Amino acid sequence: MRRIIPLLIVVLLVSCSQPEVKPQTEETRTESNSNKVSQAKLYYSFGADYLMKRNYDDAIINFQRALKESTGFESAAIGLGKAYQGKKEFALAEQAYKDFLAKNPKSVKVQVALANLYRKLKKYDLAKKVYFDALKKDSSLAYCWDGLGNLEEDLGHLEKAKEYYEKAYKLDPKNKGIAFRLGSVYVRTGESSKAIKLLEEVKDVNPDDIEIRVKLGDAYNDTKQYAKAIEEYKFVLSKIPNYVSVMIKLGKAYKGLKKYTLAENMYKEALKHEPDNLSAYYSLIDLYITRKFYTKAMNTVNEALKKAPKDAILWALKGDVYFRKGLAEMKKENWNPAIALFDKAIAAYSKSISLCSNNEWKNYARKGIAQAKKYKKQALDLRW
């Protein structure tokens, strides 16, 4: 009996020491989920910081941790895909998006991220399908229409790109990225007046952005607002002094204001930086033709042809020089020299056509031949 009593006491003490197990209530479950979300956000913030610093491996680890804590965390999935893309591991980026969408099929943001990846990889048909699938779920997604605009612009379909950018801009008029892309397409489609309004708005927010200043300068140039174009291009060159294509644009703006010496200097400066830049040669030759400096024009054409003997545009410009010199001789009633120059113009234009794959320049050369033949006939008639 003495042995039994102590044993009962031990049993009672042990049973009393066991913690009470409480059933999980809705409140405790909510608290647990809240902790998981908070932890996911913390991992995401780490991942985003690593991504910004291009530390892609650590970014991936933290985005994966975030998704483990919160499987529906869209921003973490998008960040994970971007980190893989940073490492050029595009298949893993694609898989990350697909895995997320398998668990969260209604996520249009990740769907658009997948479409953007396909566009980047030039898988345009796949990208287009995914964009339109997303728009079936929600047609008010400005960033989705923006992605489609990017895709069509990549393909050179400017009118279609403009249509999609306009839809995106209508849905999100405060988005300066969309405004910039729409303005840029307006410049390319010859609607520079529309472009100026948008690009000026974007410039107000991002005054130091080089690309914006260049595009705005182009729009001013196209609308013959040369002084404003010059201001934009000068700003760009103050930041990037050896930006050759902007030197050429600045030269064209000076030419528009008939500041020919400044224009000539800019073209020559461009050629100092890039001696084989044909765009600078084209512009310089055109300037000399405009000023009727035919000897300078021909010398510059021949100099350029030594570097690019099969360039169709240079041969067309050579035809222009001969043709203009022929007209000048006709005015002096020097019929034989004029006829000889028109023949040389016809030969140069014909050479251009034989080398040219661009229909626009072929048509230009054909018109040049027609004009040279016309004036040659007049010179022959007048000579007799």
Side-chain angles (χ1 to χ4, degrees), residues 101-279:
L101 288 168
K103 297 173 185 174
N104 305 275
K106 294 182 179 179
S107 173
V108 289
K109 286 184 179 179
V110 175
Q111 204 167 356
V112 172
L114 177 60
N116 289 341
L117 172 63
Y118 285 143
R119 179 176 62 80
K120 183 177 181 178
L121 298 176
K122 297 185 180 180
K123 296 180 178 181
Y124 295 118
D125 290 338
L126 267 176
K128 196 177 290 189
K129 181 182 181 302
V130 178
Y131 280 131
F132 280 116
D133 283 347
L135 286 168
K136 284 177 186 176
K137 295 172 185 173
D138 187 352
S139 62
S140 68
L141 299 172
Y143 55 86
C144 194
W145 291 111
D146 182 43
L148 277 167
N150 269 287
L151 184 150
E152 296 296 348
E153 190 174 0
D154 287 349
L155 292 170
H157 304 158
L158 296 183
E159 288 300 322
K160 204 68 182 173
K162 182 176 74 173
E163 176 190 335
Y164 291 143
Y165 284 142
E166 284 176 339
K167 286 183 178 180
Y169 182 71
K170 188 175 181 181
L171 289 164
D172 190 3
K174 292 182 180 180
N175 188 310
K176 299 307 176 187
I178 293 171
F180 172 71
R181 286 183 283 280
L182 177 57
S184 298
V185 166
Y186 280 147
V187 172
R188 295 181 68 188
T189 56
E191 299 168 88
S192 293
S193 295
K194 288 183 179 179
I196 287 169
K197 179 178 180 295
L198 289 171
L199 294 173
E200 284 180 337
E201 289 176 6
V202 178
K203 175 189 164 183
D204 288 342
V205 179
N206 303 283
D208 294 326
D209 189 293
I210 297 300
E211 193 175 1
I212 293 167
R213 302 296 287 258
V214 173
K215 290 289 183 184
L216 184 54
D218 292 348
Y220 286 139
N221 232 351
D222 290 344
T223 53
K224 299 183 179 181
Q225 298 182 60
Y226 300 119
K228 287 185 175 181
I230 288 167
E231 183 182 336
E232 298 304 319
Y233 295 144
K234 278 186 170 181
F235 173 84
V236 173
L237 289 171
S238 73
K239 303 294 182 182
I240 310 175
N242 60 346
Y243 200 153
V244 170
S245 63
V246 173
M247 292 177 192
I248 297 167
K249 292 171 189 284
L250 178 56
K252 289 178 180 178
Y254 280 135
K255 181 175 179 278
L257 288 178
K258 298 184 179 180
K259 294 183 177 182
Y260 298 124
T261 302
L262 289 174
E264 182 180 4
N265 290 341
M266 287 314 307
Y267 299 144
K268 287 182 175 179
E269 185 66 22
L271 286 167
K272 280 183 187 177
H273 287 275
E274 292 182 11
D276 296 333
N277 190 302
L278 292 179
S279 293

Side-chain angles (χ1 to χ4, degrees), residues 32-44 62-77 100 103-104:
S32 175
N33 289 337
S34 178
N35 288 336
K36 280 181 172 290
V37 169
S38 296
Q39 193 64 35
K41 287 180 178 178
L42 183 62
Y43 285 135
Y44 172 76
N62 281 280
F63 287 135
Q64 287 174 333
R65 287 172 175 169
L67 286 166
K68 187 176 180 181
E69 296 295 331
S70 178
T71 57
F73 199 164
E74 287 179 318
S75 296
F100 184 88
K103 297 173 185 174
N104 305 275

